[in-house]
Amino acid sequence: MTDTSHPLLPPTVPVLRLPGGADGPALQVGGVDSTDGVVVSPATGALERLLRGLDGRRTWRAVVADAVRDGHDPTAVDAVLRALVDTGLLVDLEAADLLATDAGPAASARAAAELPTATGGARWQARRRATVVVDGATRVGVPLAAVLAASGVGRVHVRDTGPVAAGDAVVGGLDAADEGRPRGLAAADAVRRASPLTDLRPPAGPADLVVLTRAWASTDPRVADLQRDGVAHLVATVRGETGVVGPLVVPGRTGCLRCAELLRRDADPRWPVLSAQLATDARPAGATVTCLLTALTAAVQVLGYVDGGGAPVTLGATLELRPPQFTPRSRRWGAHPECRCRPPRPPGG
Ligand SMILES: [Zn+2]
């Protein structure tokens, strides 16, 4: 961090009082779970206010200048800030990150909880600019959309038609009172409950990412359109009792969903006949824990992709989550030589 960094000590980092040693009582910052903490002494109300005042809105230089005005020693303040940086407790907030949040105290309070997971580079700003379409107001799709909106994704649209069935209700998604309502409207209400200010309109142009949450999306004719238009898409669904997240298809970079179908056909010639029947099954599937774990696993992949912080693990691979332990099992899906999508590089390359 530099003089122009904006240090943020996330409000969730505990600042605790330790009983007196040689220098009197001390403050312990963090260090209550598996991460390191920092012990600072002597513990004073002024020091505690200084630490709690690290809200990312002032530069490092301004924090030190204000601290000097309050009677602190600038060298000591600098040393405390550097110790917090070394332990990873202090986050450097970009000034533009704060501008890229919704206005008002309620929105600021919500953003304060989300910002620390998406700072560095322009990740938060990328997330705020992103448009994600969730295709299917399912027991995975609606909680996923709500999590994405609450995490700061700028525009989240859930696409679906037809009425809500009783079995569609799930924690964080559609609820029992939604039965019989249009799926798209009920899904929008569920997302709004989680994040009142998120833009829920359908995108005017192509989305940054489409998440396919119906059971057998790989044979859905809309997938061919996404592939042709170069729109990235991710599968996130529950088949039987197994949560499936991935593959994340980036046209031109990874194999496509048709490649995966052809690879399955190679392994089992009966697969196309089975697949065609599976594609027509639209019944709600999955226990609540399976659906929510699948939605959260997918959310991590979506945020990784839209933030641009690195290659998500489902790029050209699936994660399978199976009860009772739900330990993720990874399967890789390469390109198939017969498919016309012809990625120039292997997945992840
Ligand atoms: Zn392909």
Side-chain angles (χ1 to χ4, degrees):
M1 286 203 198
T2 64
D3 277 2
T4 54
S5 310
H6 289 68
L8 165 73
L9 185 67
T12 46
V13 173
V15 177
L16 308 167
R17 284 187 173 254
L18 287 170
D23 298 332
L27 289 178
Q28 177 178 317
V29 187
V32 291
D33 46 31
S34 58
T35 57
D36 288 335
V38 173
V39 174
V40 197
S41 63
T44 61
L47 180 60
E48 201 168 342
R49 278 195 300 281
L50 170 77
L51 293 168
R52 278 289 165 234
L54 297 172
D55 60 1
R57 291 172 190 278
R58 293 173 298 162
T59 60
W60 185 298
R61 193 185 298 148
V63 167
V64 174
D66 290 350
V68 168
R69 203 172 310 127
D70 292 341
H72 291 281
D73 169 16
T75 314
V77 170
D78 211 58
V80 169
L81 295 181
R82 288 196 191 285
L84 293 172
V85 170
D86 290 344
T87 49
L89 290 165
L90 211 58
V91 175
D92 179 13
L93 213 57
E94 305 247 335
D97 285 348
L98 283 170
L99 293 174
T101 56
D102 292 316
S108 295
R110 289 191 291 269
E114 305 298 335
L115 268 165
T117 64
T119 54
R123 294 170 59 196
W124 175 258
Q125 294 154 65
R127 188 183 295 188
R128 297 293 299 154
R129 277 196 307 270
T131 296
V132 176
V133 169
V134 174
D135 192 54
T138 62
R139 280 163 60 84
V140 171
V142 182
L144 166 65
V147 169
L148 295 176
S151 301
V153 173
R155 187 184 280 208
V156 181
H157 177 66
V158 183
R159 189 162 61 196
D160 209 340
T161 55
V164 174
D168 290 321
V170 69
V171 176
L174 302 176
D175 66 27
D178 287 322
E179 187 180 351
R181 296 184 65 208
R183 301 179 74 86
L185 284 180
D189 285 346
V191 177
R192 210 175 278 120
R193 282 194 290 275
S195 182
L197 299 178
T198 301
D199 188 347
L200 306 178
R201 295 170 299 165
D208 295 297
L209 180 70
V210 174
V211 189
L212 306 161
T213 65
R214 299 175 216 274
W216 290 96
S218 53
T219 48
D220 190 318
R222 278 168 292 198
V223 170
D225 295 341
L226 295 173
Q227 186 70 29
R228 186 198 58 223
D229 297 342
V231 177
H233 44 288
L234 171 74
V235 174
T237 188
V238 175
R239 294 172 189 154
E241 279 305 318
T242 302
V244 180
V245 180
L248 170 58
V249 176
V250 181
R253 184 172 168 196
T254 66
C256 69
L257 293 180
R258 184 166 174 269
C259 288
E261 282 290 297
L262 292 171
L263 291 166
R264 291 189 85 146
R265 182 206 63 189
D266 290 352
D268 178 1
R270 301 169 308 160
W271 177 248
V273 177
L274 304 175
S275 174
Q277 294 169 62
L278 289 165
T280 61
D281 187 359
R283 285 173 296 182
T288 298
V289 284
T290 314
C291 292
L292 295 186
L293 195 59
T294 303
L296 284 175
T297 304
V300 172
Q301 300 303 305
V302 172
L303 295 176
Y305 180 74
V306 299
D307 287 358
V313 296
T314 53
L315 207 57
T318 47
L319 290 177
E320 293 183 357
L321 306 157
R322 198 165 299 178
Q325 295 297 334
F326 295 100
T327 309
R329 175 170 169 253
S330 179
R331 292 170 80 181
R332 291 214 69 82
W333 297 96
H336 192 280
E338 281 177 33
C339 187
R340 292 184 302 274
C341 67
R342 292 198 186 96
R345 295 178 291 183

